[in-house]
Amino acid sequence: MPKTFLPLLIISLLACCIEIDISVPSFPDMAAYFSVSEGMIQLTIAYNFLGFCLASLLWGPLSESYGRRRVMIIGNGLLLIGAIGCVFAPTIQWLLFARFIQGIGAATPAVVVFAMIADAYQGEKAVRLIGIMNSVLTIFMAVAPIAGGFINKAVGWRGNYGIVAAVSILSWIMLFLLLPETKKRWEAFSLTKTLGDFKQLITSRHFMSASIAPSLLYTGYLSFIACGSFLYMETFGLSIIAYALHQGFIVAAFSIVSIFSGTLITKLGSKNCITKGLMLSALGALSLVILSLTAPNSPYLITALMSLYCVGAAMTYPVIFSASLEIFPDIKGTASSAIMALRALLVFVSIGLTSYLYNGQTFSVATIVLGTFLCVIVFALHFLRSNLFRKLAVQGA
């Protein structure tokens, strides 16, 4: 692969990685601008993930038949159209529709990038690259809410969507000019085969457990983020910049651990990375619920506990996620589609539930994070106990 390969993949993922974190500091201002409820604004994330979920089912199989490069260019073009639509949205309905289109486009790099990595690299190399990508992208994600706070203060909420649109334009141009093709053998598109591949995936207990566990870890984080701006700014009375710093710290916790994911796997082994990571996330989620009952107005402690949750997630995520793509090596594109569609569906349902249950108090958020994590435990333990884990793990149990 050319030296530009990994940077191109990171750039292609950048817009879809920062689109949420850069916009959430603006949620209170957006609610006031459109004269809608907090829950309605939180649906801008849910609609985004609904589009993401539906499109994820298509991009992987299409990339198997028509090539990764072609699908990446088309999908990132849709991401750009949706981003521009958000900038000029005159009504909340327009914004929700634009976010839906943006989600359709954002699914492309999220699905195809990891299939491209699986095409080019296997085993430890793939895990290390996923860790590097996670660390670089989460650095941008950590900076995004801070930048979003300053941009919102300077030019308003449309400025944050404008940054996403600018990144989308740059990404599309670079992909069009430089992205290589990694899928060497294309297969004619067959709906019957595609449905058969999906059936094979969703009826595999090993694949489902390996797919759902890391997806639920991500879902717990996003459920917190969806109402974090309202919690910190309205309930705790913090400024938009102070809230952005809190959110940036939480994301940075994930980023720092991701940078050293390869080293951790080498020293601890895959099984220890998963088990120790799950224990840290469990401690963070459970303590968050206890804190919400004993000291609910403690933003610094809440940030610390969510950061602990993210540290555990960063230890667990790359090992299970990389293994999930190797379970069915002949249909990696379709497998990546299934994983991302499941993730988006889980996020859509969880944020819809969060927007309904959120009442301005920490407890409502904390219980959703803990409930999501309890589901993680079920699927992660099933994966750890399988013979398949011992076969696919980069470092032995």
Side-chain angles (χ1 to χ4, degrees), residues 136-280:
V136 173
L137 289 168
T138 49
I139 287 171
F140 283 105
M141 290 168 64
V143 173
I146 300 172
F150 282 103
I151 292 167
N152 184 87
K153 192 171 184 180
V155 299
W157 62 268
R158 294 183 192 274
N160 288 327
Y161 286 119
I163 294 295
V164 176
V167 172
S168 300
I169 292 172
L170 175 64
S171 171
W172 189 88
I173 292 172
M174 294 185 69
L175 290 174
F176 183 80
L177 295 176
L178 300 173
L179 186 67
E181 178 58 68
T182 60
K183 181 68 174 174
K184 303 305 180 185
R185 296 176 59 187
W186 298 1
E187 301 176 5
F189 182 78
S190 168
L191 181 60
T192 301
K193 181 183 183 304
T194 298
L195 293 176
D197 289 343
F198 276 123
K199 181 180 179 180
Q200 183 181 15
L201 293 168
I202 64 176
T203 55
S204 168
R205 290 179 299 168
H206 298 314
F207 177 80
M208 292 300 288
S209 61
S211 302
I212 293 176
S215 296
L216 284 171
L217 281 171
Y218 182 66
T219 298
Y221 160 77
L222 271 185
S223 296
F224 180 86
I225 292 301
C227 45
S229 58
F230 297 109
L231 181 67
Y232 280 80
M233 286 190 272
E234 295 183 355
T235 302
F236 300 154
L238 300 184
S239 68
I240 188 171
I241 302 301
Y243 158 68
L245 291 171
H246 277 271
Q247 185 186 333
F249 187 86
I250 292 170
V251 181
F254 183 89
S255 176
I256 292 170
V257 177
S258 294
I259 291 173
F260 299 102
S261 61
T263 302
L264 288 172
I265 292 169
T266 300
K267 290 187 175 181
L268 298 178
S270 297
K271 185 173 183 179
N272 280 331
C273 270
I274 295 173
T275 55
K276 292 182 185 301
L278 289 175
M279 286 192 295
L280 290 176

Side-chain angles (χ1 to χ4, degrees), residues 21-55:
D21 293 287
I22 200 171
S23 66
V24 287
S26 300
F27 277 11
D29 284 355
M30 290 165 63
Y33 179 88
F34 291 116
S35 299
V36 296
S37 67
E38 299 167 351
M40 182 65 73
I41 295 299
Q42 290 168 16
L43 289 179
T44 60
I45 299 179
Y47 272 69
N48 182 262
F49 275 93
L50 177 61
F52 191 106
C53 173
L54 297 175

Side-chain angles (χ1 to χ4, degrees), residues 227 231 292 354 357-369:
C227 45
L231 181 67
S292 69
T354 302
L357 295 177
Y358 179 66
N359 59 4
Q361 302 302 314
T362 307
F363 182 74
S364 59
V365 186
T367 51
I368 291 175
V369 174

Side-chain angles (χ1 to χ4, degrees), residues 369-390:
V369 174
L370 179 60
T372 302
F373 181 76
L374 292 176
C375 296
V376 172
I377 292 293
V378 173
F379 291 102
L381 288 180
H382 179 271
F383 178 68
L384 282 170
R385 290 171 180 170
S386 69
N387 291 328
L388 189 61
F389 170 73
R390 289 189 287 273

Side-chain angles (χ1 to χ4, degrees), residues 346-363:
L346 289 169
V347 171
F348 173 72
V349 172
S350 180
I351 291 179
L353 181 64
T354 302
S355 67
Y356 176 77
L357 295 177
Y358 179 66
N359 59 4
Q361 302 302 314
T362 307
F363 182 74

